[in-house]
Amino acid sequence: MQVDKTTLHDLAIFHSSEEQSLFHLLDCTTTVGGKHWFHHLLGHPYSDIEKIKQTQQTLQLILAKQDKWPTLITNGAIMVVQKFYESSVEAIPRHSSAFGSMAYKTIHSPDYSLIKFSVIQFVHFFRGLHQLIHHFDQENNPPLFQNIINQIKLLTTPVHIRTMMQWPAGKELSTTDNLNFGHFLLYHFKEQAIQLVDIFSKLDAYHGMAIATQKFRFSFPEIKQTVQPFIEAKNVFHPLLNKAVAYDVLLNPDGNFLFLTGANMAGKSTFIKAVGVAVYLAHTGMGVPAESLSCSLFDGLLSNIQVEDNITKGESYFYNEVQRIKKTIEQINDGRNWLILIDELFKGTNVQDAMKCSLAVIEGLRKMNNTLFILSTHLYEIGEGLKQYPNIRFCYFETDTSNGQLHFSYQLKEGISNDRLGYLILKREGVVDMLEGL
C-alpha cells in the first residue's frame, strides 16, 4: 500500500518520542535484529492480499503455539554469535586431539575462554533453531512461514551443526569439543551463521507482531479484493490512548465521503487517526485496534492532518495546504482504491476564503468513487449545501455545556454540529480573567 512520509508522520507510525510512536508501543521483539525487521515490516504495508493473509496466518500460528517458542535464543546469544566473527583469536587447530586441545587452552588461555563462551552461545542458538523445526515444521503451514523453516533446515545440515542442535541440555562440552566446534564455526560457517541470525531476526519480528496483537487485544481483520473500496469496523479505537473511546465506522460506495464536524477537543482528529491506523495495520498483516474490521485492499493511504509552513522556502501554511491537496488529487486520480484523511481543511486562511476553498475541494473530491474520504471541519455552514450529494455522510461529535463547563462524550452521531466553543474554552482555562486583570 502506497503511503508517504507525511502520512507516516500524521498517523505517528514512527515518532522520535516513544510515547507518541506506534512503533515503540507495538515493539514486542526480543532482539536488536528483530526490532530492525519489525521497523521494516511496519514501514512497508502490503499491496498484495495474499501476503497480508499469509502474514496473518503466520502470526496466528505463532500465537497458537506460543508455549513452544524457543526461549534459548536470546539477544545476548545472538550478539555473541555476531561478535565471534569480529574477534581475533589465535588460529584454532582442526580436529584437535585431547593433548593438542589442552596445549591450546594453556598457551592461549584468553583466546580459548572466548572460544568456549562463544561455542556455548552457538549451542543455545542452534538448539533453539532445532526447537523451531521440531514444533513448527508442518505440512499445513502458510508458505511464508514454511519457507523460513525450510531455509533454517537447509542451512543447518552440516554434521557439526546437527550435533550442536541436538546437544543434551546440561551436558558440558569438552575442551576438544569447544575447539573443534569453534574451528568449524569460524572457518567454515560464517556466511551461514549470519544468514541464520537474520532469518531468526525476521522470525522474532513476526513473533513480536503476534505478541503485540495479543497484548493489546487487537483482532485480525478481513481484507477483501473489491472494485470499489469500503470500510466496516466495530469498536475501532486509537491504541496510543490509555482510555480510548471506540467507534463504529461504515464507508462504502454508497457513502464514501464522511463530513465530520464538532468542537475543538471533541474527538475529530482522534477518530480520523484511529481509522487510519487500523487500516494501515491491516495492510501489514498484524491485528488491528478494533473488535472487528472488514475492509477492501487499498492501493494507497494519504493524510492531510499536520501541515506545516516552510520558513526556509518562504512558503506559508495555506500554500502548503494547497500543495498537499494538489498532490493528493494528482495521486488518487489513477483509478485505484485510496483512503484519504483530511483534518481541518484550509486552516491557514480567513473563514470566507476557507469556506469557498473547502466547498470547491469537497464538491470535486466527492465525485471520485474509487476513494474513501474522511474530512473534518469547523466550517459547518458549508454542510447544508453538500446535503444534495447522496454519497456524503454527515457525522459529528457531541459536546454538552452546563454551568460553564464542557463535557465531551466522544460519541459519533449522525448530523452536523454547530458548536462554537472556542471562547468558552478560553474562559474555562482562565485566559479571559488574566487578560481582564492586565
Side-chain angles (χ1 to χ4, degrees):
M1 182 172 66
Q2 185 175 335
V3 181
D4 62 10
K5 291 182 180 179
T6 299
T7 303
L8 291 175
H9 176 72
D10 283 346
L11 298 182
I13 305 300
F14 304 105
H15 198 282
S16 56
S17 171
E18 292 189 10
E19 294 182 352
Q20 301 179 56
S21 168
L22 195 67
F23 167 72
H24 283 95
L25 175 74
L26 301 180
D27 180 20
C28 293
T29 58
T30 60
T31 67
V32 172
K35 189 184 188 81
H36 290 159
W37 261 109
F38 176 51
H39 190 282
H40 173 81
L41 293 171
L42 188 64
H44 296 80
Y46 296 115
S47 295
D48 186 325
I49 198 166
E50 186 59 33
K51 290 181 179 179
I52 295 173
K53 288 181 177 179
Q54 286 194 33
T55 302
Q56 288 182 345
Q57 293 164 0
T58 294
L59 304 192
Q60 290 166 337
L61 172 63
I62 291 172
L63 287 174
K65 293 189 173 186
Q66 173 58 20
D67 60 325
K68 305 297 184 182
W69 194 259
T71 57
L72 283 169
I73 305 178
T74 64
N75 188 58
I78 286 182
M79 289 181 66
V80 171
V81 167
Q82 293 172 318
K83 290 292 184 182
F84 183 61
Y85 293 104
E86 300 173 12
S87 60
S88 177
V89 297
E90 189 67 27
I92 305 173
R94 182 182 182 185
H95 302 311
S96 181
S97 63
F99 177 78
S101 298
M102 286 304 299
Y104 186 94
K105 178 181 178 181
T106 302
I107 299 171
H108 308 292
S109 179
D111 291 343
Y112 175 77
S113 297
L114 175 62
I115 295 167
K116 177 183 177 181
F117 181 70
S118 299
V119 168
I120 290 172
Q121 300 309 311
F122 268 100
V123 168
H124 290 327
F125 180 56
F126 291 132
R127 285 182 60 221
L129 295 179
H130 181 66
Q131 290 176 8
L132 271 172
I133 295 171
H134 178 71
H135 294 296
F136 289 88
D137 184 18
Q138 53 192 40
E139 291 183 0
N140 61 341
N141 278 341
L144 169 67
F145 188 79
Q146 188 58 41
N147 286 341
I148 295 175
I149 296 297
N150 289 341
Q151 289 179 58
I152 295 174
K153 289 165 64 177
L154 181 64
L155 290 168
T156 55
T157 53
V159 174
H160 285 81
I161 306 305
R162 302 299 300 178
T163 302
M164 296 173 76
M165 292 177 78
Q166 299 173 29
W167 197 264
K171 180 183 178 181
E172 291 190 14
L173 291 100
S174 67
T175 305
T176 302
D177 290 329
N178 284 320
L179 290 177
N180 285 336
F181 287 146
H183 180 278
F184 180 79
L185 292 169
L186 188 60
Y187 303 125
H188 303 286
F189 204 71
K190 178 179 178 179
E191 183 178 340
Q192 296 92 322
I194 293 172
Q195 289 182 52
L196 285 169
V197 166
D198 187 60
I199 289 170
F200 181 78
S201 296
K202 190 172 186 178
L203 276 177
D204 183 38
Y206 286 128
H207 179 260
M209 292 167 72
I211 295 302
T213 295
Q214 182 183 63
K215 177 181 178 181
F216 296 102
R217 299 182 180 180
F218 290 176
S219 64
F220 285 102
E222 182 181 15
I223 314 293
K224 298 181 179 180
Q225 190 92 48
T226 58
V227 176
Q228 292 178 295
F230 78 95
I231 298 173
E232 185 173 350
K234 184 176 181 181
N235 289 330
V236 63
F237 62 92
H238 200 297
L240 288 174
L241 299 181
N242 291 326
K243 296 181 179 180
V245 175
Y247 320 97
D248 292 344
V249 182
L250 177 61
L251 289 167
N252 55 37
D254 293 329
N256 69 319
F257 201 116
L258 179 58
F259 184 86
L260 189 63
T261 53
N264 284 318
M265 304 191 302
K268 301 189 302 297
S269 298
T270 300
F271 171 80
I272 290 174
K273 292 176 183 178
V275 175
V277 166
V279 170
Y280 184 93
L281 289 179
H283 286 70
T284 68
M286 70 179 298
V288 300
E291 183 179 330
S292 65
L293 171 67
S294 179
C295 70
S296 56
L297 179 70
F298 285 93
D299 296 295
L301 167 61
L302 291 177
S303 67
N304 187 334
I305 298 176
Q306 301 178 56
V307 178
E308 299 176 351
D309 57 3
N310 192 320
I311 297 176
T312 58
K313 291 185 178 181
E315 296 172 353
S316 69
Y317 187 98
F318 176 72
Y319 177 81
N320 281 332
E321 283 188 299
V322 172
Q323 290 303 309
R324 184 64 178 168
I325 289 297
K326 179 181 178 181
K327 180 180 179 182
T328 298
I329 295 170
E330 289 173 345
Q331 288 192 272
I332 67 178
N333 194 26
D334 59 3
R336 299 189 300 162
N337 290 347
W338 289 84
L339 172 62
I340 305 300
L341 309 172
I342 302 174
D343 189 23
E344 299 296 346
L345 190 59
F346 299 124
K347 299 185 286 287
T349 188
N350 63 76
V351 174
Q352 294 302 318
D353 234 4
M355 289 175 61
K356 186 175 181 179
C357 293
S358 296
L359 193 58
V361 168
I362 294 171
E363 288 185 326
L365 293 179
R366 65 99 197 162
K367 302 174 187 176
M368 308 188 72
N369 56 17
N370 63 302
T371 302
L372 300 184
F373 299 92
I374 302 179
L375 180 145
S376 76
T377 181
H378 284 300
L379 307 174
Y380 67 88
E381 297 92 342
I382 66 176
E384 286 300 320
L386 296 171
K387 288 184 177 179
Q388 60 180 305
Y389 305 116
N391 65 318
I392 299 182
R393 289 185 55 219
F394 300 89
C395 291
Y396 73 99
F397 283 99
E398 183 181 47
T399 306
D400 178 53
T401 59
S402 59
N403 299 321
Q405 295 298 314
L406 297 173
H407 302 279
F408 301 105
S409 68
Y410 303 110
Q411 297 300 314
L412 195 62
K413 297 191 174 184
E414 295 285 338
I416 300 174
S417 168
N418 60 359
D419 290 334
R420 296 290 193 183
L421 304 176
Y423 183 78
L424 186 57
I425 295 172
L426 197 71
K427 188 173 182 179
R428 188 192 70 172
E429 295 301 313
V431 177
V432 173
D433 290 339
M434 291 172 64
L435 293 171
E436 292 176 348
L438 293 176

